[in-house]
Amino acid sequence: MSNEILVNITPQETRVAILEQGVTQELHIERTSGRGIVGNIYNGRVSRVLPGMQSAFVDIGLDRAAFLHVADIRDPKPEGDAMKPIEKLLYEGNSIVVQVIKDAISTKGARLSTQISLAGRLLVYLPQESHIGISQRIEDDSERELLREKLRQILPEDEEGGYIIRTMAETADENDLRADLAYLHRLWRDIQQKSATISAPVLLYQDLDLSHRVLRDFIDEDTARILVDSRENYQKLVKFSQSYMTCIAERITLYTGDRPLFDLYAVEEEIERSLAKRVNLKSGGYLIIDQTEALTTMDVNTGGFIGVRNFDDTVFKTNLEAAQVIARQLRMRNLGGIIIIDFIDMESEDHKNAVLAEFNKALSKDRTRITVNGFSTLGLVEMTRKRTRESLAHVLCEICPTCQGRGEVRTAQTICYEILRELLRESRQFDANEFRILASQQVIDLFLDEESQSLAQLGDFIAKPISLQIEESYSQEQYDVILM
Ligand SMILES: [Zn+2]
């Protein structure tokens, strides 16, 4: 019981930090204006079926149509094992109940499934299924059978459906399970009723907001308390937990201190660090984290010179530390998709295995689904982490408008020479009395000083006056050549 969850709420956003032994391990930020839609259930309308891609676009009432692939369609009348083609399952204009499984990311629309699942605290309810599954994180076989039996005993006879028993159910008693079941069944009845009475496209169910998801998804038996810094929301959360998960109500605490909650626990600093490209290691080495559209790379480096005598040992220790730090950074930054890790090269197979073992151990606290492959022939570790909500950087940052994300801008000198070429081009093409260069301060300064001769020579050559004008709002790469 040593973990704490901090909930910082303003009207604009909710921020949640999960601290384990006083150290921030996870950050979640939800903006009121940009709330994700994963878990939302809609009655949608099929707007296009694309047999070539075995997928369909579904209008769910948002700006952009959502995407449904045949693999995510639950066929109510399957013919043997073979999957029916999408054009036999869906038709344009059909209304269809769908759930969002992935938020719209960058240019891709939200991704849908027709397989409905409703998450409770202990159970996930699958109304269209009939089996009982168990979280893979509950490993013990007899424990699994016991839980399955416990649930079977209390299942109401008039409610159909399948269930997945979540890790949290391990320590739950019968009353907790009954409360979860009642909540889920009530939810599903409401959804069905709404879908039968309101025509598509319509939102049938919106997943809980972040502060409520904290209570449902983030609390476990190690959570000592949940600190909330808004009285109004504190009261809402207590009320929600009293009606549905009484066991945690007493762990919710109102924070009334003068210092902002995230300052007090140094979470602001952690957020700052989680956006940096470089992460320092205690051993003197450092990580460079590069996040691109397609994948994330993490490059482990030793700091400075290492003596030959302790070389292997230093490399090994740096990689061991990096393994822990990387696992934490994955959670903090909420990085998803393909991740490639370039540990410092190790000769010894024992060392490689030990680093992998350390890495897997550090990853075991992560709630997100992860697969790690061993070292490739090039010495890289490839892994995937399930991508659901946007990464921290995507929530808080945008591509740098000056360099468009390249991380580099052309030098002022390069721009000067581009401008001179542009002047020459335009003087040949147009008959102007005079030319004026609009550019940033740095570029104009260069024309007045080091490049003044180049400018004068060109002026002589084209036999036209050239004037300069600083444009404060221009970035170094921006300029205009104006004909007067
Ligand atoms: Zn930039």
Side-chain angles (χ1 to χ4, degrees):
M1 292 275 283
S2 54
N3 299 345
E4 284 175 303
I5 299 177
L6 313 182
V7 185
N8 164 237
I9 301 179
T10 63
Q12 296 78 34
E13 63 179 3
T14 299
R15 302 189 299 167
V16 171
I18 300 178
L19 277 65
E20 291 170 11
Q21 269 90 42
V23 180
T24 311
Q25 297 287 348
E26 231 171 89
L27 288 164
H28 299 267
I29 297 177
E30 188 171 89
R31 298 249 159 103
T32 316
S33 58
R35 225 179 115 183
I37 57 167
V38 169
N40 284 7
I41 298 173
Y42 296 85
N43 196 3
R45 192 171 295 284
V46 178
S47 54
R48 260 178 93 192
V49 178
L50 308 166
M53 289 170 69
Q54 280 303 295
S55 53
F57 286 114
V58 181
D59 177 13
I60 54 172
L62 304 178
D63 290 347
R64 201 162 24 186
F67 181 82
L68 176 61
H69 187 259
V70 73
D72 297 313
I73 298 177
R74 191 183 170 278
D75 184 357
K77 286 176 247 133
E79 298 161 355
D81 287 338
M83 184 113 61
K84 269 189 237 159
I86 195 156
E87 58 272 28
K88 292 199 171 169
L89 292 165
L90 289 182
Y91 302 94
E92 265 176 43
N94 276 167
S95 67
I96 177 175
V97 175
V98 287
Q99 187 164 27
V100 177
I101 52 176
K102 223 185 225 180
D103 268 322
I105 294 177
S106 326
T107 55
K108 292 177 193 156
R111 187 158 175 177
L112 305 173
S113 170
T114 66
Q115 167 98 286
I116 304 300
S117 74
L118 294 169
R121 202 165 82 82
L122 309 171
L123 302 167
V124 176
Y125 181 37
L126 309 163
Q128 303 138 313
E129 298 294 318
S130 57
H131 66 278
I132 297 178
I134 297 196
S135 159
Q136 288 179 357
R137 303 190 62 174
I138 301 176
E139 283 171 355
D140 184 63
D141 277 340
S142 56
E143 173 84 9
R144 292 169 70 90
E145 208 28 65
L146 214 68
L147 275 168
R148 215 178 248 133
E149 199 43 47
K150 201 152 100 182
L151 179 61
R152 270 200 202 100
Q153 300 266 338
I154 61 164
L155 281 182
E157 284 181 6
D158 56 336
E159 298 281 359
E160 296 186 336
Y163 301 88
I164 297 166
I165 302 177
R166 304 183 73 182
T167 320
M168 233 95 86
E170 229 172 346
T171 51
D173 65 18
E174 224 181 270
N175 285 335
D176 296 335
L177 280 171
R178 273 185 212 279
D180 220 35
L181 278 173
Y183 165 79
L184 291 168
H185 291 153
R186 196 170 61 226
L187 210 58
W188 180 233
R189 275 197 300 274
D190 289 350
I191 290 167
Q192 282 176 300
Q193 204 189 3
K194 219 170 163 188
S195 109
T197 50
I198 310 173
S199 65
V202 65
L203 175 66
L204 300 173
Y205 163 77
Q206 184 166 31
D207 197 15
L208 300 177
D209 68 21
L210 178 58
S211 62
H212 288 82
R213 284 206 311 275
V214 167
L215 301 190
R216 187 188 68 194
D217 298 337
F218 299 164
I219 292 177
D220 56 27
E221 71 272 18
D222 293 324
T223 310
R225 59 174 182 167
I226 305 110
L227 275 169
V228 185
D229 68 358
S230 135
R231 186 176 299 275
E232 185 193 339
N233 286 281
Y234 161 76
Q235 283 160 348
K236 271 191 207 160
L237 293 180
V238 169
K239 205 171 154 207
F240 177 73
S241 64
Q242 278 165 345
S243 70
Y244 163 53
M245 36 188 128
T246 43
C247 55
I248 57 173
E250 62 191 21
R251 283 186 258 167
I252 306 173
T253 313
L254 177 65
Y255 173 77
T256 55
D258 282 338
R259 274 189 79 185
L261 185 59
F262 271 30
D263 284 353
L264 187 66
Y265 285 81
V267 181
E268 297 293 2
E269 288 163 51
E270 290 293 350
I271 294 176
E272 194 67 47
R273 258 181 243 147
S274 301
L275 294 173
K277 199 168 167 170
R278 178 181 166 131
V279 179
N280 290 327
L281 302 173
K282 286 199 189 82
S283 61
Y286 60 95
L287 293 180
I288 294 291
I289 300 175
D290 259 314
Q291 202 182 339
T292 65
E293 208 56 24
L295 52 83
T296 301
T297 57
M298 299 215 179
D299 190 17
V300 186
N301 299 276
T302 53
F305 175 77
I306 316 171
V308 177
R309 205 156 56 95
N310 295 321
F311 187 80
D312 284 352
D313 194 47
T314 309
V315 165
F316 180 47
K317 279 182 186 152
T318 307
N319 280 339
L320 278 179
E321 191 196 345
Q324 292 176 11
V325 172
I326 289 168
R328 176 156 172 264
Q329 288 298 323
L330 290 172
R331 279 176 81 184
M332 294 281 289
R333 295 173 189 236
N334 192 22
L335 297 172
I338 300 165
I339 294 140
I340 304 211
I341 303 162
D342 192 359
F343 284 107
I344 308 160
D345 283 343
M346 290 174 286
E347 295 285 319
S348 149
E349 286 301 317
D350 285 350
H351 283 179
K352 283 186 189 173
N353 290 335
V355 167
L356 265 186
E358 186 65 41
F359 190 42
N360 280 307
K361 192 177 135 209
L363 289 170
S364 66
K365 289 181 207 151
D366 199 327
R367 267 176 279 263
T368 311
R369 195 164 66 231
I370 286 174
T371 52
V372 180
N373 300 327
F375 283 91
S376 72
T377 44
L378 292 174
L380 304 171
V381 173
E382 285 176 18
M383 65 173 288
T384 60
R385 187 171 183 274
K386 196 179 166 203
R387 202 199 291 262
T388 49
R389 294 170 203 280
E390 300 246 27
S391 69
L392 189 68
H394 263 125
V395 176
L396 298 180
C397 303
E398 61 183 0
I399 299 287
C400 167
T402 305
C403 70
Q404 313 296 341
R406 294 195 311 273
E408 288 167 346
V409 291
R410 282 170 289 171
T411 62
Q413 194 166 38
T414 305
I415 301 300
C416 279
Y417 297 163
E418 271 182 32
I419 292 173
L420 294 177
R421 280 193 299 274
E422 180 65 22
L423 270 168
L424 189 59
R425 202 177 294 128
E426 292 198 12
S427 73
R428 282 176 177 159
Q429 208 172 347
F430 308 106
D431 189 26
N433 296 321
E434 188 193 334
F435 290 93
R436 178 169 296 169
I437 298 167
L438 301 187
S440 67
Q441 175 94 52
Q442 301 92 305
V443 170
I444 298 294
D445 284 353
L446 219 55
F447 273 133
L448 292 171
D449 189 12
E450 285 163 71
E451 298 300 336
S452 56
Q453 219 183 336
S454 324
L455 189 66
Q457 275 172 353
L458 186 77
D460 284 350
F461 183 72
I462 62 176
K464 295 279 160 64
I466 302 168
S467 59
L468 301 170
Q469 187 180 325
I470 295 166
E471 199 50 60
E472 304 276 356
S473 64
Y474 279 12
S475 71
Q476 185 162 300
E477 289 190 323
Q478 266 177 307
Y479 62 85
D480 281 305
V481 174
I482 296 177
L483 314 177
M484 312 276 292

mmCIF file of all heavy atoms in Angstrom, residues 111-144:
data_model
loop_
_atom_site.group_PDB
_atom_site.id
_atom_site.type_symbol
_atom_site.label_atom_id
_atom_site.label_comp_id
_atom_site.label_asym_id
_atom_site.label_seq_id
_atom_site.Cartn_x
_atom_site.Cartn_y
_atom_site.Cartn_z
ATOM 1 N N ARG A 111 -10.870 4.070 -35.400
ATOM 2 C CA ARG A 111 -11.065 2.698 -35.814
ATOM 3 C C ARG A 111 -12.154 2.041 -34.962
ATOM 4 O O ARG A 111 -12.203 2.223 -33.750
ATOM 5 C CB ARG A 111 -9.752 1.931 -35.681
ATOM 6 C CG ARG A 111 -9.856 0.561 -36.265
ATOM 7 C CD ARG A 111 -8.522 0.000 -36.636
ATOM 8 N NE ARG A 111 -8.731 -1.372 -37.066
ATOM 9 C CZ ARG A 111 -7.797 -2.159 -37.525
ATOM 10 N NH1 ARG A 111 -6.566 -1.710 -37.626
ATOM 11 N NH2 ARG A 111 -8.070 -3.391 -37.895
ATOM 12 N N LEU A 112 -13.001 1.265 -35.629
ATOM 13 C CA LEU A 112 -14.174 0.706 -34.967
ATOM 14 C C LEU A 112 -14.142 -0.809 -34.886
ATOM 15 O O LEU A 112 -13.410 -1.469 -35.617
ATOM 16 C CB LEU A 112 -15.436 1.080 -35.770
ATOM 17 C CG LEU A 112 -15.687 2.547 -36.063
ATOM 18 C CD1 LEU A 112 -16.882 2.673 -36.997
ATOM 19 C CD2 LEU A 112 -15.934 3.304 -34.765
ATOM 20 N N SER A 113 -14.979 -1.333 -34.015
ATOM 21 C CA SER A 113 -15.235 -2.764 -33.964
ATOM 22 C C SER A 113 -16.729 -2.944 -33.727
ATOM 23 O O SER A 113 -17.368 -2.091 -33.114
ATOM 24 C CB SER A 113 -14.440 -3.393 -32.817
ATOM 25 O OG SER A 113 -14.859 -4.725 -32.613
ATOM 26 N N THR A 114 -17.276 -4.045 -34.209
ATOM 27 C CA THR A 114 -18.685 -4.307 -33.900
ATOM 28 C C THR A 114 -18.788 -5.199 -32.662
ATOM 29 O O THR A 114 -19.863 -5.528 -32.204
ATOM 30 C CB THR A 114 -19.434 -4.994 -35.058
ATOM 31 O OG1 THR A 114 -18.884 -6.299 -35.245
ATOM 32 C CG2 THR A 114 -19.297 -4.193 -36.343
ATOM 33 N N GLN A 115 -17.626 -5.628 -32.175
ATOM 34 C CA GLN A 115 -17.574 -6.413 -30.943
ATOM 35 C C GLN A 115 -17.662 -5.450 -29.767
ATOM 36 O O GLN A 115 -16.760 -4.676 -29.544
ATOM 37 C CB GLN A 115 -16.232 -7.147 -30.925
ATOM 38 C CG GLN A 115 -15.871 -7.744 -29.612
ATOM 39 C CD GLN A 115 -16.209 -9.210 -29.584
ATOM 40 O OE1 GLN A 115 -17.375 -9.577 -29.484
ATOM 41 N NE2 GLN A 115 -15.230 -10.050 -29.717
ATOM 42 N N ILE A 116 -18.764 -5.491 -29.047
ATOM 43 C CA ILE A 116 -18.960 -4.531 -27.962
ATOM 44 C C ILE A 116 -18.365 -5.067 -26.666
ATOM 45 O O ILE A 116 -18.562 -6.241 -26.317
ATOM 46 C CB ILE A 116 -20.470 -4.257 -27.740
ATOM 47 C CG1 ILE A 116 -21.132 -3.776 -29.034
ATOM 48 C CG2 ILE A 116 -20.685 -3.261 -26.605
ATOM 49 C CD1 ILE A 116 -20.568 -2.497 -29.604
ATOM 50 N N SER A 117 -17.617 -4.240 -25.976
ATOM 51 C CA SER A 117 -17.155 -4.632 -24.650
ATOM 52 C C SER A 117 -17.303 -3.455 -23.705
ATOM 53 O O SER A 117 -17.028 -2.319 -24.057
ATOM 54 C CB SER A 117 -15.703 -5.116 -24.706
ATOM 55 O OG SER A 117 -14.840 -4.038 -24.876
ATOM 56 N N LEU A 118 -17.798 -3.740 -22.531
ATOM 57 C CA LEU A 118 -18.002 -2.700 -21.529
ATOM 58 C C LEU A 118 -17.129 -3.027 -20.323
ATOM 59 O O LEU A 118 -17.224 -4.110 -19.756
ATOM 60 C CB LEU A 118 -19.477 -2.666 -21.092
ATOM 61 C CG LEU A 118 -20.482 -2.236 -22.166
ATOM 62 C CD1 LEU A 118 -21.905 -2.503 -21.683
ATOM 63 C CD2 LEU A 118 -20.299 -0.762 -22.497
ATOM 64 N N ALA A 119 -16.277 -2.079 -19.944
ATOM 65 C CA ALA A 119 -15.363 -2.340 -18.844
ATOM 66 C C ALA A 119 -15.964 -1.924 -17.522
ATOM 67 O O ALA A 119 -16.453 -0.810 -17.369
ATOM 68 C CB ALA A 119 -14.051 -1.602 -19.072
ATOM 69 N N GLY A 120 -15.956 -2.827 -16.584
ATOM 70 C CA GLY A 120 -16.239 -2.500 -15.192
ATOM 71 C C GLY A 120 -14.907 -2.515 -14.475
ATOM 72 O O GLY A 120 -13.860 -2.563 -15.103
ATOM 73 N N ARG A 121 -14.954 -2.491 -13.147
ATOM 74 C CA ARG A 121 -13.704 -2.478 -12.424
ATOM 75 C C ARG A 121 -13.086 -3.877 -12.353
ATOM 76 O O ARG A 121 -11.888 -4.049 -12.455
ATOM 77 C CB ARG A 121 -13.950 -1.960 -11.000
ATOM 78 C CG ARG A 121 -12.713 -1.407 -10.359
ATOM 79 C CD ARG A 121 -13.091 -0.614 -9.145
ATOM 80 N NE ARG A 121 -13.291 -1.488 -8.000
ATOM 81 C CZ ARG A 121 -12.302 -1.940 -7.248
ATOM 82 N NH1 ARG A 121 -11.061 -1.622 -7.527
ATOM 83 N NH2 ARG A 121 -12.544 -2.720 -6.219
ATOM 84 N N LEU A 122 -13.936 -4.861 -12.205
ATOM 85 C CA LEU A 122 -13.457 -6.233 -12.017
ATOM 86 C C LEU A 122 -13.666 -7.086 -13.255
ATOM 87 O O LEU A 122 -12.983 -8.071 -13.483
ATOM 88 C CB LEU A 122 -14.194 -6.885 -10.843
ATOM 89 C CG LEU A 122 -14.203 -6.072 -9.556
ATOM 90 C CD1 LEU A 122 -15.145 -6.704 -8.543
ATOM 91 C CD2 LEU A 122 -12.793 -5.972 -8.994
ATOM 92 N N LEU A 123 -14.674 -6.712 -14.052
ATOM 93 C CA LEU A 123 -15.061 -7.527 -15.191
ATOM 94 C C LEU A 123 -15.149 -6.671 -16.439
ATOM 95 O O LEU A 123 -15.434 -5.485 -16.368
ATOM 96 C CB LEU A 123 -16.449 -8.138 -14.947
ATOM 97 C CG LEU A 123 -16.633 -9.007 -13.712
ATOM 98 C CD1 LEU A 123 -18.118 -9.246 -13.471
ATOM 99 C CD2 LEU A 123 -15.903 -10.332 -13.884
ATOM 100 N N VAL A 124 -14.916 -7.331 -17.571
ATOM 101 C CA VAL A 124 -15.267 -6.719 -18.843
ATOM 102 C C VAL A 124 -16.445 -7.529 -19.370
ATOM 103 O O VAL A 124 -16.383 -8.762 -19.416
ATOM 104 C CB VAL A 124 -14.084 -6.763 -19.838
ATOM 105 C CG1 VAL A 124 -14.510 -6.209 -21.185
ATOM 106 C CG2 VAL A 124 -12.899 -5.996 -19.290
ATOM 107 N N TYR A 125 -17.499 -6.843 -19.732
ATOM 108 C CA TYR A 125 -18.716 -7.519 -20.186
ATOM 109 C C TYR A 125 -18.744 -7.525 -21.707
ATOM 110 O O TYR A 125 -18.567 -6.487 -22.347
ATOM 111 C CB TYR A 125 -19.917 -6.763 -19.624
ATOM 112 C CG TYR A 125 -21.274 -7.334 -19.968
ATOM 113 C CD1 TYR A 125 -21.489 -8.715 -20.045
ATOM 114 C CD2 TYR A 125 -22.361 -6.484 -20.191
ATOM 115 C CE1 TYR A 125 -22.744 -9.225 -20.343
ATOM 116 C CE2 TYR A 125 -23.615 -6.985 -20.486
ATOM 117 C CZ TYR A 125 -23.805 -8.369 -20.570
ATOM 118 O OH TYR A 125 -25.050 -8.859 -20.868
ATOM 119 N N LEU A 126 -18.931 -8.719 -22.291
ATOM 120 C CA LEU A 126 -19.019 -8.861 -23.742
ATOM 121 C C LEU A 126 -20.414 -9.376 -24.074
ATOM 122 O O LEU A 126 -20.640 -10.585 -24.115
ATOM 123 C CB LEU A 126 -17.959 -9.858 -24.241
ATOM 124 C CG LEU A 126 -16.522 -9.602 -23.757
ATOM 125 C CD1 LEU A 126 -15.656 -10.829 -23.959
ATOM 126 C CD2 LEU A 126 -15.921 -8.399 -24.464
ATOM 127 N N PRO A 127 -21.369 -8.471 -24.274
ATOM 128 C CA PRO A 127 -22.771 -8.890 -24.376
ATOM 129 C C PRO A 127 -23.049 -9.876 -25.507
ATOM 130 O O PRO A 127 -23.976 -10.664 -25.417
ATOM 131 C CB PRO A 127 -23.526 -7.576 -24.615
ATOM 132 C CG PRO A 127 -22.572 -6.480 -24.416
ATOM 133 C CD PRO A 127 -21.195 -7.015 -24.415
ATOM 134 N N GLN A 128 -22.232 -9.841 -26.590
ATOM 135 C CA GLN A 128 -22.516 -10.744 -27.725
ATOM 136 C C GLN A 128 -21.826 -12.097 -27.596
ATOM 137 O O GLN A 128 -21.971 -12.959 -28.448
ATOM 138 C CB GLN A 128 -22.055 -10.083 -29.035
ATOM 139 C CG GLN A 128 -22.680 -8.726 -29.300
ATOM 140 C CD GLN A 128 -21.640 -7.745 -29.832
ATOM 141 O OE1 GLN A 128 -20.549 -7.641 -29.291
ATOM 142 N NE2 GLN A 128 -21.976 -7.023 -30.882
ATOM 143 N N GLU A 129 -21.026 -12.278 -26.552
ATOM 144 C CA GLU A 129 -20.266 -13.526 -26.408
ATOM 145 C C GLU A 129 -20.900 -14.426 -25.357
ATOM 146 O O GLU A 129 -21.924 -14.080 -24.776
ATOM 147 C CB GLU A 129 -18.829 -13.203 -25.985
ATOM 148 C CG GLU A 129 -18.064 -12.383 -26.990
ATOM 149 C CD GLU A 129 -17.808 -13.148 -28.293
ATOM 150 O OE1 GLU A 129 -17.464 -14.339 -28.199
ATOM 151 O OE2 GLU A 129 -17.960 -12.559 -29.372
ATOM 152 N N SER A 130 -20.249 -15.571 -25.106
ATOM 153 C CA SER A 130 -20.817 -16.433 -24.073
ATOM 154 C C SER A 130 -19.750 -17.048 -23.156
ATOM 155 O O SER A 130 -20.073 -17.618 -22.132
ATOM 156 C CB SER A 130 -21.628 -17.557 -24.735
ATOM 157 O OG SER A 130 -20.792 -18.261 -25.610
ATOM 158 N N HIS A 131 -18.486 -16.892 -23.504
ATOM 159 C CA HIS A 131 -17.451 -17.550 -22.688
ATOM 160 C C HIS A 131 -16.960 -16.631 -21.562
ATOM 161 O O HIS A 131 -17.182 -15.428 -21.592
ATOM 162 C CB HIS A 131 -16.281 -17.969 -23.564
ATOM 163 C CG HIS A 131 -15.558 -16.802 -24.149
ATOM 164 N ND1 HIS A 131 -15.992 -16.149 -25.283
ATOM 165 C CD2 HIS A 131 -14.458 -16.143 -23.732
ATOM 166 C CE1 HIS A 131 -15.180 -15.151 -25.544
ATOM 167 N NE2 HIS A 131 -14.244 -15.121 -24.621
ATOM 168 N N ILE A 132 -16.269 -17.249 -20.608
ATOM 169 C CA ILE A 132 -15.645 -16.469 -19.537
ATOM 170 C C ILE A 132 -14.133 -16.548 -19.700
ATOM 171 O O ILE A 132 -13.548 -17.624 -19.624
ATOM 172 C CB ILE A 132 -16.043 -16.998 -18.144
ATOM 173 C CG1 ILE A 132 -17.567 -16.848 -17.952
ATOM 174 C CG2 ILE A 132 -15.297 -16.247 -17.045
ATOM 175 C CD1 ILE A 132 -18.077 -17.388 -16.629
ATOM 176 N N GLY A 133 -13.511 -15.441 -19.958
ATOM 177 C CA GLY A 133 -12.055 -15.388 -20.094
ATOM 178 C C GLY A 133 -11.443 -14.763 -18.857
ATOM 179 O O GLY A 133 -12.144 -14.186 -18.039
ATOM 180 N N ILE A 134 -10.138 -14.913 -18.762
ATOM 181 C CA ILE A 134 -9.455 -14.360 -17.586
ATOM 182 C C ILE A 134 -8.209 -13.616 -18.016
ATOM 183 O O ILE A 134 -7.501 -14.037 -18.927
ATOM 184 C CB ILE A 134 -9.078 -15.497 -16.596
ATOM 185 C CG1 ILE A 134 -10.361 -16.151 -16.089
ATOM 186 C CG2 ILE A 134 -8.228 -14.969 -15.447
ATOM 187 C CD1 ILE A 134 -10.194 -16.980 -14.872
ATOM 188 N N SER A 135 -7.959 -12.490 -17.361
ATOM 189 C CA SER A 135 -6.761 -11.707 -17.649
ATOM 190 C C SER A 135 -5.525 -12.594 -17.616
ATOM 191 O O SER A 135 -5.352 -13.399 -16.702
ATOM 192 C CB SER A 135 -6.609 -10.602 -16.610
ATOM 193 O OG SER A 135 -5.270 -10.155 -16.570
ATOM 194 N N GLN A 136 -4.668 -12.415 -18.628
ATOM 195 C CA GLN A 136 -3.461 -13.242 -18.698
ATOM 196 C C GLN A 136 -2.505 -12.958 -17.560
ATOM 197 O O GLN A 136 -1.582 -13.716 -17.301
ATOM 198 C CB GLN A 136 -2.747 -12.985 -20.023
ATOM 199 C CG GLN A 136 -3.505 -13.596 -21.180
ATOM 200 C CD GLN A 136 -2.844 -13.348 -22.505
ATOM 201 O OE1 GLN A 136 -1.822 -12.660 -22.579
ATOM 202 N NE2 GLN A 136 -3.408 -13.893 -23.558
ATOM 203 N N ARG A 137 -2.754 -11.832 -16.885
ATOM 204 C CA ARG A 137 -1.830 -11.478 -15.814
ATOM 205 C C ARG A 137 -2.116 -12.258 -14.538
ATOM 206 O O ARG A 137 -1.321 -12.232 -13.610
ATOM 207 C CB ARG A 137 -1.859 -9.976 -15.583
ATOM 208 C CG ARG A 137 -1.526 -9.251 -16.876
ATOM 209 C CD ARG A 137 -1.315 -7.802 -16.672
ATOM 210 N NE ARG A 137 -0.177 -7.564 -15.782
ATOM 211 C CZ ARG A 137 0.288 -6.358 -15.534
ATOM 212 N NH1 ARG A 137 -0.274 -5.327 -16.075
ATOM 213 N NH2 ARG A 137 1.312 -6.193 -14.731
ATOM 214 N N ILE A 138 -3.278 -12.940 -14.498
ATOM 215 C CA ILE A 138 -3.502 -13.877 -13.395
ATOM 216 C C ILE A 138 -2.980 -15.222 -13.892
ATOM 217 O O ILE A 138 -3.583 -15.852 -14.747
ATOM 218 C CB ILE A 138 -5.002 -13.968 -13.019
ATOM 219 C CG1 ILE A 138 -5.514 -12.582 -12.612
ATOM 220 C CG2 ILE A 138 -5.229 -14.983 -11.909
ATOM 221 C CD1 ILE A 138 -7.003 -12.516 -12.309
ATOM 222 N N GLU A 139 -1.837 -15.634 -13.378
ATOM 223 C CA GLU A 139 -1.134 -16.756 -14.000
ATOM 224 C C GLU A 139 -1.475 -18.115 -13.406
ATOM 225 O O GLU A 139 -1.484 -19.121 -14.098
ATOM 226 C CB GLU A 139 0.383 -16.520 -13.931
ATOM 227 C CG GLU A 139 0.824 -15.499 -14.971
ATOM 228 C CD GLU A 139 2.268 -15.073 -14.804
ATOM 229 O OE1 GLU A 139 2.906 -15.512 -13.815
ATOM 230 O OE2 GLU A 139 2.729 -14.315 -15.658
ATOM 231 N N ASP A 140 -1.775 -18.141 -12.123
ATOM 232 C CA ASP A 140 -1.959 -19.406 -11.440
ATOM 233 C C ASP A 140 -3.229 -20.121 -11.914
ATOM 234 O O ASP A 140 -4.327 -19.564 -11.876
ATOM 235 C CB ASP A 140 -2.031 -19.147 -9.929
ATOM 236 C CG ASP A 140 -2.122 -20.428 -9.137
ATOM 237 O OD1 ASP A 140 -1.163 -21.207 -9.220
ATOM 238 O OD2 ASP A 140 -3.159 -20.657 -8.486
ATOM 239 N N ASP A 141 -3.089 -21.385 -12.367
ATOM 240 C CA ASP A 141 -4.213 -22.111 -12.967
ATOM 241 C C ASP A 141 -5.364 -22.365 -12.001
ATOM 242 O O ASP A 141 -6.530 -22.208 -12.363
ATOM 243 C CB ASP A 141 -3.729 -23.458 -13.531
ATOM 244 C CG ASP A 141 -3.125 -23.276 -14.917
ATOM 245 O OD1 ASP A 141 -3.429 -22.246 -15.550
ATOM 246 O OD2 ASP A 141 -2.355 -24.147 -15.345
ATOM 247 N N SER A 142 -5.037 -22.753 -10.779
ATOM 248 C CA SER A 142 -6.110 -23.061 -9.827
ATOM 249 C C SER A 142 -6.847 -21.775 -9.451
ATOM 250 O O SER A 142 -8.061 -21.755 -9.293
ATOM 251 C CB SER A 142 -5.547 -23.755 -8.583
ATOM 252 O OG SER A 142 -4.548 -22.966 -8.005
ATOM 253 N N GLU A 143 -6.096 -20.702 -9.339
ATOM 254 C CA GLU A 143 -6.673 -19.381 -9.076
ATOM 255 C C GLU A 143 -7.653 -18.997 -10.188
ATOM 256 O O GLU A 143 -8.754 -18.497 -9.954
ATOM 257 C CB GLU A 143 -5.526 -18.359 -8.994
ATOM 258 C CG GLU A 143 -5.958 -16.919 -8.891
ATOM 259 C CD GLU A 143 -6.285 -16.487 -7.462
ATOM 260 O OE1 GLU A 143 -5.999 -17.284 -6.529
ATOM 261 O OE2 GLU A 143 -6.814 -15.404 -7.302
ATOM 262 N N ARG A 144 -7.241 -19.276 -11.440
ATOM 263 C CA ARG A 144 -8.070 -18.927 -12.593
ATOM 264 C C ARG A 144 -9.391 -19.700 -12.545
ATOM 265 O O ARG A 144 -10.456 -19.160 -12.785
ATOM 266 C CB ARG A 144 -7.326 -19.246 -13.898
ATOM 267 C CG ARG A 144 -6.121 -18.350 -14.132
ATOM 268 C CD ARG A 144 -5.263 -18.864 -15.273
ATOM 269 N NE ARG A 144 -5.927 -18.697 -16.577
ATOM 270 C CZ ARG A 144 -5.797 -17.623 -17.334
ATOM 271 N NH1 ARG A 144 -5.027 -16.639 -16.938
ATOM 272 N NH2 ARG A 144 -6.416 -17.533 -18.493
#
